[in-house]
Amino acid sequence: MLPAVSSRIRLGVALSERGRRTRRRATGTGNEGPTRADLELFCAELSRSAGLDVVGYAAPRYDRLLHRLEAGEVELAWLSPVVALAALRAEVSPIALPERGDSAWYWSALFVRADSPLHSVSNLHRAHAVWVDEESAAGYLVIRAALDAEGFDVDRGFERQTFARTHDAVVSAVLEDPNAVGATYFHLDSSGAISNAGWGSAKVEVLKRAGPIPSDVLAASSALEPAVVAALRRALCESPSSALLEAGQALLRARRFVPADPAQLAHLRALERYLIRARSFARR
């Protein structure tokens, strides 16, 4: 029997500026990414499934979201792999991971549109590099660390570099410019073939792969009661309603949710090798 919860449970998710302003559901055809409406729908379905009162908090950045989680200002937070590493060092408990392919981890791809004149890493000195943001594992950190490991100068080797802030916006920029190269995520199926990717059905050429990268993490504040954490895990991972899964697909692009177990967390900690390398080239 779940104990009575005296107050609302706040679930924080980092959204883009446009996503925080937009009150309607994302269409999935533009570059806006998930919206506040998607967050509110997910919270409503999670509330119904878990028998709790869950409300959304749209955070401007992951670092602010982690700060609010550690301070007890939000009880739950969806954290990127990079930020989740910091959370695991604090008194924060991982609950679940979204599964977007056939597993709870993914890869990073450096890609161009199919008719681009950029056919290899050796051509990147002529490229406009488009990244997601400074905290994106698949859209920035991991692929840059992999390029750096090959001896490519990630700070000065491109013609120019910009941040698009969402994976959809990166893809749009690459598809519009034959001299643009972008980084985004992809998933592999059980045979090792790409099952889905940030570019969807668009025709692209992958110049480089790096990974694997563990999925992002739903983390709980230490202030949240164990019985409540268990109820949330059951609702997401054991008996999710079709409506909750549909809302999770819209907000997090998650096919389903899996419990956070030692195997997934080991992959998360393995990500540190990329972050160490990323910090080393950032200091140059």
Side-chain angles (χ1 to χ4, degrees):
M1 183 73 178
L2 187 66
V5 179
S6 59
S7 61
R8 290 180 168 182
I9 298 170
R10 290 153 295 189
L11 167 60
V13 176
L15 299 178
S16 68
E17 181 180 356
R18 181 174 178 176
R20 297 194 307 276
R21 293 198 318 260
T22 304
R23 302 298 306 184
R24 62 182 182 277
R25 302 275 313 276
T27 63
T29 59
N31 62 7
E32 73 275 10
T35 69
R36 184 183 293 272
D38 294 315
L39 172 59
E40 290 173 353
L41 178 62
F42 180 78
C43 289
E45 295 301 338
L46 182 56
S47 295
R48 270 190 281 273
S49 295
L52 300 166
D53 186 9
V54 183
V55 297
Y57 162 66
R61 298 197 310 266
Y62 278 117
D63 58 344
R64 289 195 188 177
L65 183 52
L66 178 59
H67 173 76
R68 285 182 176 268
L69 182 67
E70 292 175 340
E73 296 173 5
V74 299
E75 290 77 28
L76 294 168
W78 282 107
L79 303 176
S80 72
V82 176
V83 179
L85 269 172
L88 291 178
R89 300 187 192 105
E91 291 189 10
V92 172
S93 301
I95 296 178
L97 299 88
E99 191 173 273
R100 300 187 176 96
D102 288 342
S103 70
W105 49 86
Y106 56 100
W107 297 72
S108 176
L110 189 70
F111 72 102
V112 294
R113 75 187 210 185
D115 63 347
S116 171
L118 308 173
H119 299 298
S120 70
V121 172
S122 63
N123 301 137
L124 293 181
H125 65 283
R126 296 188 280 116
H128 166 207
V130 187
W131 312 115
V132 177
D133 60 50
E134 299 93 330
E135 294 179 343
S136 173
Y140 184 68
L141 288 168
V142 170
I143 202 70
R144 280 170 59 94
L147 287 169
D148 179 71
E150 289 188 359
F152 181 82
D153 188 336
V154 293
D155 291 320
R156 295 178 287 273
F158 299 100
E159 183 174 278
R160 64 189 178 102
Q161 303 184 55
T162 57
F163 291 104
R165 299 302 167 189
T166 69
H167 286 274
D168 288 340
V170 168
V171 173
S172 294
V174 170
L175 295 180
E176 290 170 3
D177 181 0
N179 292 311
V181 60
T184 190
Y185 64 88
F186 68 91
H187 300 92
L188 299 175
D189 61 23
S190 57
S191 70
I194 294 177
S195 58
N196 63 78
W199 54 79
S201 60
K203 296 186 181 303
V204 305
E205 180 181 355
V206 175
L207 303 184
K208 187 169 182 60
R209 300 181 178 193
I213 306 166
S215 189
D216 39 319
V217 176
L218 172 63
S221 163
S222 58
L224 208 56
E225 296 178 9
V228 174
V229 170
L232 290 165
R233 185 179 287 114
R234 282 195 302 272
L236 287 166
C237 305
E238 296 179 16
S239 55
S241 67
S242 58
L244 177 58
L245 291 177
E246 183 179 344
Q249 176 68 39
L251 178 65
L252 303 164
R253 296 184 176 176
R255 185 171 65 91
R256 66 187 185 107
F257 302 93
V258 296
D261 65 26
Q264 277 99 6
L265 299 183
H267 278 280
L268 185 63
R269 292 187 173 94
L271 179 62
E272 285 193 283
R273 72 182 185 273
Y274 289 108
L275 304 187
I276 291 169
R277 184 176 292 278
R279 285 192 292 270
S280 72
F281 62 61
R283 287 195 294 266
R284 292 180 198 162

